[in-house]
Each structure stands twice: as structure tokens, then as C-alpha cells.
Amino acid sequence: MFSHEEADRALQRLSSESDRMADALVAMDTHAGHQLLRNATLTGLTKQRWAEASSAMTVLWEQFNVHRRMVELAKDMLDRRDLGSLTTLLTDPVVELNAQQLPIDQRSLTGPAMVVDSVTLTELVERMKAAYKAITEVLAAADAAWTTTIQQIDPLEMELRSVSALAASLGVDDPALAKIDAELAQIRELALADPMAIDTARPPQRVASELADVRARLSRLSSAKDTFDDRMARIEALLGEVSAAYEEAQVAYAIVMQKIASPGLPRLTEAVAPLRARLAELPELWRAGQWRELATGLEELERDATSALAEARTQLRLGTGLLDRRLELRGRLEAYRAKANRLGHAEDLELAELHRIAHGVLYTSPCDLPAATRAVNRYQQALQDKRSAS
């Protein structure tokens, strides 16, 4: 049996424990997860887990009330100095839990009609701790799943509103927006009804990707609308470059055809007029608000004009390259002749004849460049041979 001092200390511990329980249970009752689960129409896994937790919560409150009554009873016993009864209350299995009516087929004629689970106060507290842990895990899991999902879809819904406003400003109806709106509404509904079934580790990336695609499409149209004048001016300037490059290429082509034999250059097709005709059609698309057609027209015209400019410049480069090659061969021939003179071969008949042949090919119009290259190489090789022999 406890002494008065031992009983007093035990009762103080019991009373403090009861107060801590009260604080914890109030925190459980006001937990955001509890508010969510209690007020929502649940389905699936969350409904199942909440049913178990809710039932356990009811039992936990009942057990707390039992514990509280036991504390008050113990205080009364201590005041009356009934240390024997107090010792029994604090140490023996005096708490009756889970009283159940026995089915008639399990009862004997003289046996009890009820089955009662009797535990000590310490065992009661341990059971309450286990139940509290299980309940709060469910509350925390529901709250975390809901919070994570909402944090993921809130920015997407804001972006959806922004993209929808952009579509409205363009007068464009993009079916993907309605689909995305329905998907986000479905995710939000599931987050409310069955948050624990959502895989919060994987955000709705597909929805985000689809939304980004829609914005990119609409931004393309918006750019065509808002920067139309600037892009028209850039294309006009680009066509000016195409025209100038085309004219230079045509001049170079004419010279090459006169100066170079069999140059193998295709005649450059005039591209500026068709491109300008397409450019003239674009303002009507802008005035009619046909943004998709306008964006496509601008992009294709920019691409084709750039390609035409590159083609004209390539043709010019090829033409001038052939002329430059002829000049290079002429320079090389004269340089080797000067070298031959310095080496004392100015009167060499063989070299003089090879020089005459190469010079004749290089200064004949049109010039056979392959033949001229071979002739210059023969003169160079002959000079090298004579230098080695001397």
C-alpha cells in the first residue's frame, strides 16, 4: 500500500498526465486534417482510413473521460486518506473497457452476460497513446496530401486563367483549354474526396506541359498580331537584301559564263517577285484578325526569304570563286616564272614552252580551269625538277 507521500506524488503525475492529454486532444480536434476529413464527402482509401480513425477518435475521447473521472476519484480518496482504495485504483486493473454483450450461443446458464476488458490506469494510458498516434498519422497524411496537391494545382489554375484571357483577347477558341480545365477540376475534386489516393510525389506534369503548349501556340499568334508592323518591316528589308544579292549573283553569273568554260553553275531562279506577292497578302490577314494564318504566313515568308538570300549568296560565292580561282592560277604562274628567272632558267626552252601553254589557257576566254590548273602544275613540277637536278 502507498504511503501518503507516495500516493500524493503518484496522483500529481496522474493529474499532470491528464492535463497533457487534454491539450493533445484539443490539438487533435482542431487539426487542419481533422477539419478537412470531417467536412468532406470522402471516397476510396481516404474514406476507409477516416472511418477507422474517426471510430478510434470517439473511443479515445471516451477513454479520456474515464481517465479524467479516475483522477477525480483518486483526488477524493487522497483527501479522505483512503490509501488502500487509492493504491488499488492506481495499480490494479480497475478500468473497465470494451464491455460487450455475449451472444446467447456463447453464454452458459450461470455465466456472465457481459465481457469486460479490465486494465490498469497505466495500461489505459498506453492504449490511448497508441490510438492517438494512429489517429494523428491519418490526420497529418490527409492534410499533407491535400496541401501538396493544392500547391501543385493552384499555380496551374492561375496559369490557365492567364492563358484563357490571352485566348479571349485573340478571339481564339482552343479546345485544349477546356480539357485542361476539366482535368484540374477533377484533380481538385479528388484532392478533397480522396487525398490519400493521390500520388503527391508526381505533380501533374502532363497538365503543365499541355498548358505550356497552349501558351506557346497563343503567344505565337499574339506575337504575329502585336509585332506585325515590325516583322513586315524586317521582311521588307530582308527582301531588299535578297534582291541585291540576286542582282550581284546574276552579274557574277554573266561574267562567269563569259570568262569560264563549262562552269557548271545553275541559273539562279528569280525569287523576289513571288516573295513580295506573298508579303502583300499579309495585311489583309491582320485586318481580318486571322491570327493563325497570319502567324503561319509571317513565319513561312521569313523562312523562305532567308533561304532565298542564302541561295543567292551561295550562287554569288560560287561564281566569284571561279573567277578568283582563275586569278589565283595567273598569279601562281607569274610567281613561278619569276622564280625561274632568279634561278637562271630564263632562257630554258622547255620551261618557256610550258609557260606559253599555261599562259595561253589562262588568258583564253572562256578559260578551261581544269586544263589551266594542270598546265600551271606542269610548269611548277618542271621547275622543281630542274632545281633538284642542278
Side-chain angles (χ1 to χ4, degrees):
M1 184 175 68
F2 286 163
S3 66
H4 187 276
E5 290 76 13
E6 291 172 335
D8 184 59
R9 286 194 299 270
L11 184 55
Q12 287 181 11
R13 288 194 299 271
L14 189 65
S15 180
S16 297
E17 189 173 53
S18 181
D19 291 340
R20 290 194 297 272
M21 284 183 186
D23 292 340
L25 291 176
V26 169
M28 176 189 73
D29 200 50
T30 57
H31 190 279
H34 186 200
Q35 308 304 314
L36 170 69
L37 294 170
R38 183 174 60 189
N39 298 320
T41 302
L42 302 176
T43 61
L45 175 64
T46 307
K47 180 179 181 179
Q48 174 187 338
R49 294 196 64 185
W50 171 237
E52 296 168 354
S54 179
S55 176
M57 190 179 292
T58 300
V59 171
L60 183 58
W61 278 109
E62 292 173 353
Q63 291 174 340
F64 173 70
N65 288 332
V66 170
H67 188 274
R68 204 72 169 175
R69 288 198 303 272
M70 290 295 180
V71 171
E72 295 303 319
L73 181 58
K75 289 179 179 179
D76 181 65
M77 291 177 178
L78 184 63
D79 290 342
R80 291 186 287 105
R81 295 186 175 272
D82 187 355
L83 298 179
S85 298
L86 179 56
T87 301
T88 299
L89 184 144
L90 294 176
T91 59
D92 289 0
V94 296
V95 182
E96 296 183 350
L97 301 176
N98 305 324
Q100 295 182 356
Q101 182 79 32
L102 276 175
I104 193 169
D105 59 336
Q106 297 180 17
R107 291 169 54 184
S108 65
L109 181 63
T110 59
M114 302 287 293
V115 174
V116 178
D117 185 11
S118 298
V119 297
T120 66
L121 272 174
T122 300
E123 291 170 337
L124 172 63
V125 171
E126 292 305 314
R127 291 192 182 191
M128 292 175 69
K129 287 179 179 179
Y132 181 81
K133 182 176 183 295
I135 293 166
T136 52
E137 284 176 353
V138 172
L139 302 184
D143 182 52
W146 158 257
T147 301
T148 301
T149 303
I150 295 307
Q151 287 175 344
Q152 291 168 355
I153 66 174
D154 273 355
L156 293 178
E157 290 182 336
M158 291 179 61
E159 175 67 358
L160 175 62
R161 289 193 291 272
S162 175
V163 174
S164 297
L166 177 59
S169 71
L170 294 168
V172 172
D173 180 19
D174 195 315
L177 290 175
K179 176 175 175 289
I180 292 170
D181 186 34
E183 290 184 6
L184 288 177
Q186 185 178 19
I187 294 173
R188 183 176 284 276
E189 181 180 349
L190 181 60
L192 280 171
D194 195 3
M196 296 183 188
I198 297 178
D199 183 1
T200 56
R202 295 179 55 205
Q205 290 292 351
R206 183 175 57 80
V207 176
S209 177
E210 290 176 355
L211 194 52
D213 289 343
V214 178
R215 177 173 281 284
R217 291 197 297 270
L218 294 176
S219 295
R220 169 176 168 264
L221 307 189
S222 179
S223 175
K225 173 188 174 185
D226 297 337
T227 65
F228 176 69
D229 291 339
D230 290 341
R231 292 178 72 176
M232 287 287 285
R234 287 199 299 271
I235 294 173
E236 183 65 50
L238 183 58
L239 291 181
E241 293 185 60
V242 174
S243 181
Y246 173 77
E247 291 176 3
E248 289 185 58
Q250 287 292 81
V251 171
Y253 179 83
I255 296 174
V256 168
M257 295 303 293
Q258 180 184 0
K259 302 292 185 181
I260 307 298
S262 303
L265 292 179
R267 181 176 289 276
L268 189 62
T269 303
E270 207 285 317
V272 177
L275 293 173
R276 289 194 181 281
R278 289 164 57 186
L279 183 68
E281 297 172 355
L282 296 180
E284 182 58 33
L285 296 177
W286 190 90
R287 286 189 291 270
Q290 295 178 266
W291 311 124
R292 286 193 177 95
E293 294 79 1
L294 178 65
T296 300
L298 285 168
E299 291 165 1
E300 291 181 350
L301 187 52
E302 288 168 338
R303 181 195 64 212
D304 293 347
T306 301
S307 177
L309 178 60
E311 184 178 354
R313 286 174 172 171
T314 298
Q315 188 74 3
L316 175 62
R317 185 169 59 254
L318 292 175
T320 55
L322 293 173
L323 297 173
D324 291 342
R325 174 61 176 166
R326 187 184 64 160
L327 288 174
E328 177 199 347
L329 289 171
R330 287 178 175 181
R332 282 176 57 194
L333 180 62
E334 293 311 310
Y336 284 121
R337 185 184 186 188
K339 184 176 182 179
N341 290 340
R342 289 195 307 272
L343 293 174
H345 300 299
E347 304 299 329
D348 190 292
L349 296 179
E350 181 188 2
L351 289 177
E353 178 61 17
L354 289 175
H355 179 272
R356 185 191 66 78
I357 294 171
H359 187 277
V361 177
L362 280 170
Y363 285 86
T364 298
S365 291
C367 173
D368 186 340
L369 280 180
T373 301
R374 292 191 295 271
V376 172
N377 287 340
R378 282 196 297 270
Y379 181 82
Q380 177 187 359
Q381 186 60 50
L383 177 61
Q384 181 65 36
D385 291 343
K386 290 182 180 297
R387 184 181 181 186
S388 300
S390 60

